[in-house]
Amino acid sequence: MDDHQTQDLVKELVHRLISAESGGGGGGRDAGGALRFAHRLLSSRLAPAVLPDEHALAESVKRRLAASGRPDDALAFADLHAKLSARSRPASLWPLLYLLDSLSSHRRAAAAASCLPNLPTAAPPRAAGAGAAAAAAAGGKPALRAPGAPPGGVVLVSKDPDNIREIALREYTELVLDETEVSEAALVRDVLYACQGIDGRYVRFDKGSDAYDLPDGVRVPRSTRTLVRKLCELGWLFRKVRGFISDNISRSPSDAATEVGTVAQAFCSALQEELSDYYKLLAVLESYSLNPIPTPGSDSGVSGNYLSLRRLSVWLAEPAVRMRLMAVLVDGCRGLRGGAMAGAIHGHAQHGDPTFQDFMGRLLRRVCSPLFEMVRSWVLEGELEDVFAEFFIVGQPVKAESLWQEGYLLQSDMLPAFISPVLAQRILRTGKSINFLKVCCDDNGWADAATEAAVCVGTTTSRGGLGYGQIDALEALVVEAAKRIDRHLMDVIHKRYRFKDHCLAIKRYLLLGQGDFVQYLMDVVGPELSEPANRISSFHLAGLLETAIRASNAQYDDRDILDRIKVKMMDHGDGDRGWDVFSLEYDARVPLDTVFTASVMKRYLKIFNFLWKLKRVDHSLTGIWKTMKPNCIVSSPFYKEGTNIRSQFVSVLRKCQVLFNEMNHFVTNFQYYIMFEVLEVSWARFSEEMDSAKDLDDLLLAHDKYLTSIVEKSLLGERSHGILRNLFALFDIILQFRSHADRWFERIYELQLRGKGKPKSKAKAKSKEVDSWVDGGRKAMIQLAGELFRKMGEDLDSIAKDYTSSLDAFIAQLPMQQHVDLKFLLFRLDFTEYYSRVSSNK
């Protein structure tokens, strides 16, 4: 159809409309003015001030029909729209729907205007304008128009009858072009370059201001410059993210791995994937930027997919948010590696925006994949696959005996926030248990236990079974694996290596709980230990130890346990006796040396030396009692002599007996306290905790409590040095009393033999002084005996005084001790309150 035909049709349409309005007459209206108005409308480029959204417009129509009480019409409209949409191209129904909706709105407005009284009918634009002018000229007021009523003629487009909007836009465009020497298309192209980190023709990166900007010499409006700066912020963020990726990836593989490790490599890979989507968007925008930007007044048809700066700001709004987040993550992860990096990224994931959470979850699943694989390998296989020191568990080379305590440690700075410290400790113990079984116990049963744990929680044992967001599944796997593997480890320790039997053997032989063995050992090694330490052979003592074992019920113990008991001679100096350096040790082999470490055996040695000295004191008092038995005293010739010598003899012996009874009372009660209230009670508690231990840490803790209880209650702790010195002073006084008693009664025995005229004993060769005692006959013997008894009395008084002073100091310090069981020791020693009354009377 050519232009002439179109003009003829428009002219005919206008004439028909005017004739219909005038009732058949053609001169009722200005046909020429109406025709010119119609041509101006058809040639204008006015467009609806709404976006072409077909779905929203259809929903608006349906809501309006439903609100006006016509639900059936709303359903019929929805059905018709669905059928037309299925048979039409996308978005092709919007012009039709908009036209129908506009006509409906015009009809409603006309109906509302007809309901208003005394309002004239609207005339065509020119007639209405002329009537208004005539009314004004006549001094009257122009006719009123109802609010919302159309001015007549064609609907909506008559809002701009003289194309004022088009004229204003054209004038504005001319003003902008006068102020701008760079076209908007060129700026759009440069902004897209900047978003890729590339300098454009006008927009370049300024290192001084650290930003993309237009040079000051480029003349553009201030609003345009501000908008360009805002859009180019995305390019600045892109440079930062791309720089981080290139610093960690764009180098040799060995150097990159050494610097950042697998977690950082996964982070860079995730960022690179996000940038790939960003590159795709920029490619689309590049294609849009090739379409020319329409200007007001241009008549040529222009595609709607053009790209202006303001359209570009809408397109780049969401990518800018993601890029800004990636830049924040990059800044927060610089200098971090492994679990620390994963924890820093996780800290930014606590956000309420679902889109934000989805982005961070997708990123963290990639980043945490190596970390979760390390956890899975450690928990189920005991393998520490951490080449670049990224895991929160670190291993170090140690001996087998120190594997459990020092072989694997927890690095708190590498622990991510989404793994709690309790869960991390459980992860550490599970892997340690597997390695302990493999290295120290030479056991492979842990593999079945790990497989059963994985099957029980429904997790695969292969790689990739766990990931970020599955913390509950990870915790369930760790708990189940720890329970099964620790149970298997306890079975191996108790059944295969007989841990409790070895603990009992240490109690019986190192803590001197086997009474008959201790008594035989004291008897056979006593004379040997009285010699200087540098003259004693450890091989000879080992033979004496074997003799004591064979002479006691210890011979019926397991040979493997007896072979572990050995003699140990401690370091000694000048003047030390065998009693000062003799000790026993127990050979705890792998894996028992994990519990009985070198430091633990030193504590056992400390306890043994204390108990050995206590047993020696008790053994010495027993020897004194054998010497001072009543039948030995009554049968003595001095008991049958005259009153003077007899009274001296009886007085000295009474003093000896009184002092012996005091010492025996103290040693007996103290030994009872140590052997029963300390050792037996501590063993009973340790035995219960040993049976209820669920893992090796519980077993180690129970054993440490057992040793600590013995040390504290035996006055061997750090706070008991003062009272321990007084206790050892009491022991030394008792041993001094035994030494004096042996010497005294040996001399008395020699005097008795000389008085009876019997052959001299072997002591004659040792002491020439004794021969001189009896050379003077009976009178001289009586005189020498009197002198001996006087000297014995003086020595006894001195020993008794020292003993009483030390005992009072010991008893006075007992109430100040921290442990409650020591109060019962005070009650046993002073149950009659004798020492308390004596101390108060001084």
Side-chain angles (χ1 to χ4, degrees), residues 112-120:
S114 63
C115 295
L116 295 176
N118 300 324
L119 290 178

Side-chain angles (χ1 to χ4, degrees), residues 500-785:
K500 191 169 186 177
D501 293 341
H502 290 285
C503 290
L504 184 59
I506 291 177
K507 173 181 175 292
R508 293 171 61 187
Y509 299 112
L510 262 63
L511 302 185
L512 307 183
Q514 185 76 20
D516 56 342
F517 164 75
V518 175
Q519 188 64 41
Y520 278 113
L521 185 62
M522 282 281 181
D523 292 338
V524 297
V525 303
E528 188 74 17
L529 296 181
S530 298
E531 300 293 329
N534 54 7
R535 297 182 184 178
I536 300 176
S537 171
S538 59
F539 297 101
H540 181 57
L541 290 178
L544 296 178
L545 172 64
E546 185 65 25
T547 302
I549 290 175
R550 295 182 180 277
S552 63
N553 287 330
Q555 62 181 316
Y556 302 111
D557 275 351
D558 190 352
R559 195 66 229 177
D560 177 63
I561 290 178
L562 296 178
D563 291 341
R564 295 171 182 259
I565 305 172
K566 301 181 183 300
V567 173
K568 179 180 180 181
M569 300 297 291
M570 296 182 293
D571 296 335
H572 55 81
D574 296 337
D576 287 338
R577 295 282 174 177
W579 290 104
D580 302 321
V581 298
F582 174 81
S583 65
L584 296 179
E585 65 176 354
Y586 194 82
D587 183 17
R589 301 159 193 163
V590 177
L592 298 179
D593 55 359
T594 300
V595 180
F596 304 113
T597 59
S599 60
V600 169
M601 296 313 294
K602 285 183 180 179
R603 298 175 72 183
Y604 272 116
L605 178 62
K606 183 178 182 180
I607 299 173
F608 172 82
N609 291 332
F610 172 75
L611 297 176
W612 182 250
K613 193 162 189 175
L614 178 60
K615 288 292 183 180
R616 179 190 174 192
V617 170
D618 180 65
H619 190 264
S620 299
L621 288 177
T622 303
I624 295 176
W625 176 81
K626 291 179 181 179
T627 305
M628 296 178 5
K629 286 189 296 185
N631 55 350
C632 297
I633 296 174
V634 174
S635 61
S636 174
F638 297 107
Y639 190 77
K640 302 174 183 178
E641 288 294 335
T643 306
N644 189 18
I645 193 65
R646 178 180 178 179
S647 62
Q648 285 184 325
F649 180 61
V650 172
S651 175
V652 169
L653 292 181
R654 182 179 292 110
K655 288 182 179 180
C656 281
Q657 194 68 40
V658 170
L659 185 57
F660 167 78
N661 288 336
E662 289 188 12
M663 291 179 176
N664 187 62
H665 167 74
F666 172 76
V667 171
T668 301
N669 283 280
F670 188 78
Q671 185 173 219
Y672 174 86
Y673 164 76
I674 294 294
M675 300 308 296
F676 292 95
E677 296 187 14
V678 175
L679 295 181
E680 291 299 331
V681 172
S682 299
W683 170 259
R685 293 176 180 171
F686 173 52
S687 181
E688 293 177 359
E689 294 179 357
M690 187 194 318
D691 295 336
S692 61
K694 296 181 179 179
D695 53 66
L696 191 55
D697 281 334
D698 290 346
L699 194 63
L700 290 171
L701 180 61
H703 183 260
D704 183 70
K705 289 172 58 179
Y706 168 63
L707 269 184
T708 303
S709 175
I710 294 176
V711 168
E712 294 294 332
K713 293 163 72 172
S714 300
L715 304 176
L716 300 176
E718 296 293 334
R719 302 180 180 179
S720 303
H721 288 324
I723 192 172
L724 187 63
R725 284 195 297 269
N726 289 329
L727 180 62
F728 284 164
L730 286 172
F731 288 168
D732 292 339
I733 293 173
I734 294 173
L735 295 176
Q736 181 185 2
F737 177 56
R738 167 66 190 272
S739 176
H740 281 69
D742 289 344
R743 187 171 63 253
W744 294 334
F745 284 98
E746 182 181 358
R747 293 180 179 179
I748 292 174
Y749 184 66
E750 288 292 334
L751 289 175
Q752 291 176 358
L753 292 180
R754 300 305 180 193
K756 294 180 180 179
K758 293 183 179 181
K760 297 179 181 179
S761 64
K762 296 180 181 180
K764 176 181 179 182
K766 299 180 180 179
S767 178
K768 297 181 180 180
E769 182 182 358
V770 176
D771 293 338
S772 63
W773 290 353
V774 296
D775 289 342
R778 178 181 176 82
K779 184 176 180 181
M781 183 187 69
I782 296 299
Q783 185 178 358
L784 290 174

Side-chain angles (χ1 to χ4, degrees), residues 85-320:
S85 298
R87 299 181 180 181
S88 305
R89 295 192 308 273
S92 62
L93 294 179
W94 182 83
L96 177 61
L97 291 177
Y98 184 76
L99 175 62
L100 296 176
D101 184 59
S102 299
L103 292 175
S104 176
S105 300
H106 173 70
R107 185 176 299 172
R108 289 194 304 274
S114 63
C115 295
L116 295 176
N118 300 324
L119 290 178
T121 303
R126 293 235 179 239
K141 294 182 179 180
L144 298 177
R145 186 187 307 174
V154 181
V155 182
L156 294 180
V157 294
S158 60
K159 292 181 179 178
D160 189 15
D162 297 322
N163 288 341
I164 299 176
R165 177 183 176 190
E166 181 181 358
I167 295 172
L169 287 175
R170 186 181 298 113
E171 292 176 353
Y172 173 76
T173 302
E174 292 174 356
L175 291 175
V176 170
L177 291 177
D178 291 339
E179 296 180 3
T180 305
E181 65 182 33
V182 181
S183 66
E184 186 174 6
L187 291 178
V188 168
R189 184 177 62 254
D190 279 13
V191 168
L192 290 177
Y193 287 159
C195 290
Q196 302 173 61
I198 304 173
D199 288 343
R201 181 178 179 182
Y202 304 103
V203 179
R204 299 176 182 274
F205 184 77
D206 184 9
K207 294 183 179 180
S209 60
D210 190 25
Y212 283 97
D213 198 359
L214 287 167
D216 294 335
V218 177
R219 188 162 52 90
V220 293
R222 181 180 300 176
S223 60
T224 303
R225 186 180 295 272
T226 303
L227 183 57
V228 169
R229 288 174 181 172
K230 181 179 179 181
L231 293 175
C232 289
E233 180 189 1
L234 181 59
W236 180 81
L237 296 172
F238 172 79
R239 282 173 58 94
K240 178 176 291 189
V241 175
R242 188 184 62 179
F244 178 83
I245 296 174
S246 61
D247 290 343
N248 294 284
I249 293 182
S250 301
R251 61 176 80 178
S252 63
S254 60
D255 293 342
T258 303
E259 289 293 332
V260 296
T262 57
V263 173
Q265 292 291 307
F267 179 44
C268 293
S269 176
L271 292 178
Q272 191 69 49
E273 184 176 345
E274 294 296 331
L275 290 183
S276 298
D277 296 337
Y278 175 69
Y279 291 144
K280 294 177 183 178
L281 174 63
L282 291 182
V284 173
L285 295 180
E286 284 277 4
S287 65
Y288 287 172
S289 67
L290 300 177
N291 298 325
I293 302 176
T295 58
S298 60
D299 296 333
S300 60
V302 177
S303 172
N305 291 332
Y306 64 90
L307 199 61
S308 63
L309 289 177
R310 295 200 175 274
R311 285 196 172 197
L312 189 59
S313 65
V314 176
W315 276 102
L316 297 181
E318 184 178 351

